[in-house]
Amino acid sequence: MKKFGFGLMRLPLKDDDVESIDYDETQKMVDEFIKRGYNFFDTGYPYHNGLSEIVFRECVIKKYPREDVIISDKMPLFSLEKEEDLERFFNEQLERCGVDYFDYYMLHNFSTWTRKVTFNLKAFEFIIQKKKEGKIKHIGISLHDKPKLLKLALDKYPEIEFVLLQINYLDWQSNTIDSRKVYNLTCEYNKDVFIMEPIKGGNLVDIPSNVKTLFEDYKPDSTPAEWALRFCGSLDNVKVILSGVSNMEQLNENLNTFNNFKPLSNEEYYMLGQAATLINQNVVVDCTACNYCINECEHNIPIPKYLRTYNDYFRLPENQNFSATGYYRTLSLSPEYGKASDCDACGDCVKQCPQNIKIPKIMEKIAELFENEE
Ligand code: SF4
Ligand code: SF4
């Protein structure tokens, strides 16, 4: 099953900085991916602060013939201010990627927040025109929103060929990311489904111990990532599953799962439903560490890091949660970062968050939890 796409959004890093990409390690991963018969890469304008598209150029396009690889990229709707920006971003992306056309190109995060700017600036018309010019082969949208909004786009623009959706066994029936409903709607309209976040930003690898036990009792040699990927790969109409792998081990785990792919049985499907219920009892904040929000905060609050620490506090046993407190203190005392209590609830980060997390409210709770203990 060659449905696995290399998501260039969580690349190996040399340190904590999202720009410190380890190019040597990335090159090795790209070579392994291609050697094993895969060729689909996905990037985006904001990934790694703009460096992801350049990584594609440096590690893929400079080494492999253009016609042997597939690239999908996205128009950053959330950064558009005027109509001319569409052309400017698009040309910049072609240049960064080192290509003269995109195989797949989508409007990135079409949502309640970006809907107005998308329609006002005629972003759909723009990508339709680029397809006519041969600069894009297939057009689509990425969406983390409600079925109603997806229906609006699909009715208004029948030219849309595919939809990139956040799908995994945890979000399948969740109220915020209702994967099942948007998936069914996409299929009803006969559009191809692209999947993102199959492992939910690592949250389905780093699972609570009772879920680990459930998996081990069922099939001791299967890893948590394998279960998550098999869930996505077992769905119909799926063109590609994009997984943002961060090291060779994760890449190999993904490749092994897809090379020896086994669709889920009914019993396994049911078992993953039980796993989702157990995980949901432990998840405090649903952050996938996508980093879309990190450049928004004037106070340099490292939002995903704080959310992760907050989750860890509740996930770890009581006698160990002091380490989460210690980690928060180390981060918040660093001159580089603002404290959670610096949040002025401006809401800029919320507009970028595909998971609709009420970040200012959580910052208040984080400040209360960690800063009051000082
Ligand atoms: S709401 Fe708070 S965390 Fe978000 S950008 Fe504004 S100040 Fe920063
Ligand atoms: S808070 Fe939202 S935007 Fe920020 S990293 Fe988490 S999921 Fe992404």
Side-chain angles (χ1 to χ4, degrees), residues 241-266:
I241 298 163
L242 305 173
S243 185
V245 281
S246 303
N247 54 49
M248 191 61 100
E249 198 186 331
Q250 288 174 8
L251 177 75
N252 277 323
E253 197 177 11
N254 280 252
L255 291 170
N256 293 342
T257 305
F258 286 105
N259 274 354
N260 309 303
F261 192 78
K262 289 181 200 70
L264 290 180
S265 66
N266 285 343

Short mmCIF file of all heavy atoms in Angstrom, two decimals, residues 241-266:
data_model
loop_
_atom_site.label_atom_id
_atom_site.label_comp_id
_atom_site.label_asym_id
_atom_site.label_seq_id
_atom_site.Cartn_x
_atom_site.Cartn_y
_atom_site.Cartn_z
N ILE A 241 -1.96 9.32 3.16
CA ILE A 241 -1.94 9.60 4.60
C ILE A 241 -0.63 10.33 4.88
O ILE A 241 0.46 9.78 4.67
CB ILE A 241 -2.01 8.29 5.41
CG1 ILE A 241 -3.34 7.59 5.10
CG2 ILE A 241 -1.87 8.55 6.90
CD1 ILE A 241 -3.37 6.14 5.50
N LEU A 242 -0.73 11.57 5.32
CA LEU A 242 0.47 12.37 5.53
C LEU A 242 0.90 12.25 6.99
O LEU A 242 0.13 12.55 7.90
CB LEU A 242 0.18 13.84 5.21
CG LEU A 242 -0.37 14.10 3.81
CD1 LEU A 242 -0.78 15.57 3.66
CD2 LEU A 242 0.66 13.73 2.75
N SER A 243 2.12 11.82 7.17
CA SER A 243 2.60 11.65 8.54
C SER A 243 3.89 12.46 8.70
O SER A 243 4.83 12.31 7.91
CB SER A 243 2.85 10.15 8.77
OG SER A 243 3.21 9.91 10.09
N GLY A 244 3.90 13.33 9.70
CA GLY A 244 5.06 14.21 9.92
C GLY A 244 6.11 13.51 10.75
O GLY A 244 6.16 13.67 11.96
N VAL A 245 6.95 12.71 10.08
CA VAL A 245 7.94 11.92 10.83
C VAL A 245 9.17 12.77 11.21
O VAL A 245 9.62 13.61 10.44
CB VAL A 245 8.39 10.68 10.03
CG1 VAL A 245 7.35 9.58 10.13
CG2 VAL A 245 8.64 11.00 8.56
N SER A 246 9.70 12.51 12.40
CA SER A 246 10.79 13.34 12.93
C SER A 246 12.13 12.64 13.04
O SER A 246 13.12 13.26 13.40
CB SER A 246 10.44 13.85 14.33
OG SER A 246 9.24 14.53 14.31
N ASN A 247 12.17 11.33 12.81
CA ASN A 247 13.44 10.63 12.83
C ASN A 247 13.32 9.32 12.04
O ASN A 247 12.23 8.94 11.63
CB ASN A 247 13.92 10.35 14.27
CG ASN A 247 12.88 9.62 15.08
OD1 ASN A 247 12.33 8.62 14.62
ND2 ASN A 247 12.57 10.13 16.25
N MET A 248 14.47 8.67 11.84
CA MET A 248 14.51 7.47 11.00
C MET A 248 13.66 6.35 11.60
O MET A 248 13.01 5.61 10.88
CB MET A 248 15.98 7.03 10.85
CG MET A 248 16.19 6.01 9.83
SD MET A 248 15.71 6.53 8.17
CE MET A 248 17.29 6.98 7.50
N GLU A 249 13.66 6.28 12.92
CA GLU A 249 12.90 5.21 13.57
C GLU A 249 11.40 5.34 13.25
O GLU A 249 10.74 4.38 12.86
CB GLU A 249 13.13 5.32 15.08
CG GLU A 249 12.77 4.09 15.83
CD GLU A 249 12.88 4.33 17.32
OE1 GLU A 249 13.70 5.18 17.74
OE2 GLU A 249 12.13 3.68 18.06
N GLN A 250 10.90 6.57 13.37
CA GLN A 250 9.48 6.80 13.07
C GLN A 250 9.20 6.52 11.59
O GLN A 250 8.18 5.94 11.24
CB GLN A 250 9.09 8.25 13.37
CG GLN A 250 9.01 8.56 14.83
CD GLN A 250 8.75 10.05 15.08
OE1 GLN A 250 8.50 10.83 14.17
NE2 GLN A 250 8.85 10.45 16.33
N LEU A 251 10.13 6.96 10.74
CA LEU A 251 9.93 6.74 9.30
C LEU A 251 9.84 5.24 9.01
O LEU A 251 8.93 4.78 8.31
CB LEU A 251 11.08 7.37 8.50
CG LEU A 251 10.99 7.13 7.00
CD1 LEU A 251 9.91 7.99 6.35
CD2 LEU A 251 12.32 7.39 6.30
N ASN A 252 10.77 4.47 9.57
CA ASN A 252 10.77 3.03 9.32
C ASN A 252 9.51 2.36 9.85
O ASN A 252 8.96 1.47 9.23
CB ASN A 252 12.01 2.38 9.94
CG ASN A 252 13.20 2.52 9.00
OD1 ASN A 252 13.05 2.43 7.78
ND2 ASN A 252 14.37 2.79 9.56
N GLU A 253 9.04 2.85 10.99
CA GLU A 253 7.83 2.28 11.57
C GLU A 253 6.64 2.50 10.62
O GLU A 253 5.83 1.61 10.37
CB GLU A 253 7.56 2.96 12.91
CG GLU A 253 6.60 2.21 13.77
CD GLU A 253 6.43 2.88 15.13
OE1 GLU A 253 6.87 4.03 15.32
OE2 GLU A 253 5.82 2.24 15.99
N ASN A 254 6.57 3.73 10.07
CA ASN A 254 5.51 4.05 9.11
C ASN A 254 5.64 3.19 7.85
O ASN A 254 4.67 2.61 7.38
CB ASN A 254 5.59 5.53 8.70
CG ASN A 254 4.97 6.46 9.72
OD1 ASN A 254 3.92 7.01 9.51
ND2 ASN A 254 5.64 6.65 10.85
N LEU A 255 6.87 3.10 7.32
CA LEU A 255 7.08 2.35 6.08
C LEU A 255 6.76 0.88 6.28
O LEU A 255 6.11 0.25 5.43
CB LEU A 255 8.54 2.51 5.61
CG LEU A 255 8.93 3.90 5.11
CD1 LEU A 255 10.44 4.00 4.90
CD2 LEU A 255 8.22 4.25 3.82
N ASN A 256 7.17 0.31 7.42
CA ASN A 256 6.89 -1.10 7.68
C ASN A 256 5.39 -1.36 7.76
O ASN A 256 4.89 -2.35 7.25
CB ASN A 256 7.57 -1.56 8.98
CG ASN A 256 9.08 -1.53 8.84
OD1 ASN A 256 9.60 -1.51 7.72
ND2 ASN A 256 9.79 -1.51 9.96
N THR A 257 4.68 -0.43 8.39
CA THR A 257 3.22 -0.60 8.51
C THR A 257 2.58 -0.61 7.13
O THR A 257 1.73 -1.45 6.84
CB THR A 257 2.61 0.55 9.35
OG1 THR A 257 3.30 0.59 10.59
CG2 THR A 257 1.13 0.36 9.58
N PHE A 258 2.99 0.34 6.28
CA PHE A 258 2.34 0.43 4.97
C PHE A 258 2.82 -0.65 4.00
O PHE A 258 2.06 -1.10 3.15
CB PHE A 258 2.50 1.84 4.39
CG PHE A 258 1.62 2.82 5.10
CD1 PHE A 258 2.13 3.74 6.01
CD2 PHE A 258 0.25 2.81 4.89
CE1 PHE A 258 1.30 4.61 6.69
CE2 PHE A 258 -0.60 3.68 5.58
CZ PHE A 258 -0.07 4.58 6.48
N ASN A 259 4.06 -1.09 4.15
CA ASN A 259 4.56 -2.15 3.25
C ASN A 259 3.88 -3.48 3.52
O ASN A 259 3.70 -4.28 2.62
CB ASN A 259 6.07 -2.30 3.40
CG ASN A 259 6.79 -1.33 2.48
OD1 ASN A 259 6.17 -0.64 1.69
ND2 ASN A 259 8.10 -1.28 2.59
N ASN A 260 3.56 -3.71 4.81
CA ASN A 260 2.90 -4.99 5.15
C ASN A 260 1.48 -4.70 5.62
O ASN A 260 1.06 -5.17 6.66
CB ASN A 260 3.65 -5.69 6.30
CG ASN A 260 5.12 -5.79 6.00
OD1 ASN A 260 5.49 -6.34 4.98
ND2 ASN A 260 5.96 -5.22 6.87
N PHE A 261 0.79 -3.87 4.87
CA PHE A 261 -0.48 -3.34 5.40
C PHE A 261 -1.56 -4.41 5.59
O PHE A 261 -1.84 -5.19 4.69
CB PHE A 261 -1.02 -2.23 4.49
CG PHE A 261 -2.14 -1.50 5.15
CD1 PHE A 261 -1.87 -0.55 6.12
CD2 PHE A 261 -3.46 -1.81 4.88
CE1 PHE A 261 -2.89 0.09 6.79
CE2 PHE A 261 -4.49 -1.17 5.54
CZ PHE A 261 -4.20 -0.21 6.49
N LYS A 262 -2.17 -4.34 6.81
CA LYS A 262 -3.30 -5.24 7.09
C LYS A 262 -4.47 -4.38 7.55
O LYS A 262 -4.38 -3.69 8.57
CB LYS A 262 -2.94 -6.20 8.22
CG LYS A 262 -1.93 -7.25 7.81
CD LYS A 262 -1.62 -8.19 8.97
CE LYS A 262 -0.31 -8.91 8.76
NZ LYS A 262 0.88 -8.04 8.86
N PRO A 263 -5.57 -4.39 6.78
CA PRO A 263 -6.73 -3.59 7.22
C PRO A 263 -7.25 -4.08 8.56
O PRO A 263 -7.06 -5.25 8.91
CB PRO A 263 -7.77 -3.83 6.11
CG PRO A 263 -7.09 -4.55 5.02
CD PRO A 263 -5.82 -5.15 5.56
N LEU A 264 -7.89 -3.18 9.30
CA LEU A 264 -8.42 -3.56 10.62
C LEU A 264 -9.58 -4.53 10.49
O LEU A 264 -10.41 -4.39 9.59
CB LEU A 264 -8.97 -2.31 11.33
CG LEU A 264 -8.02 -1.23 11.83
CD1 LEU A 264 -8.84 -0.12 12.48
CD2 LEU A 264 -7.02 -1.80 12.83
N SER A 265 -9.64 -5.49 11.39
CA SER A 265 -10.84 -6.35 11.46
C SER A 265 -11.89 -5.59 12.27
O SER A 265 -11.58 -4.58 12.93
CB SER A 265 -10.49 -7.65 12.18
OG SER A 265 -10.16 -7.36 13.53
N ASN A 266 -13.13 -6.06 12.26
CA ASN A 266 -14.19 -5.40 13.04
C ASN A 266 -13.84 -5.37 14.52
O ASN A 266 -14.07 -4.38 15.22
CB ASN A 266 -15.52 -6.13 12.87
CG ASN A 266 -16.10 -5.83 11.51
OD1 ASN A 266 -15.69 -4.86 10.85
ND2 ASN A 266 -17.02 -6.66 11.07
#
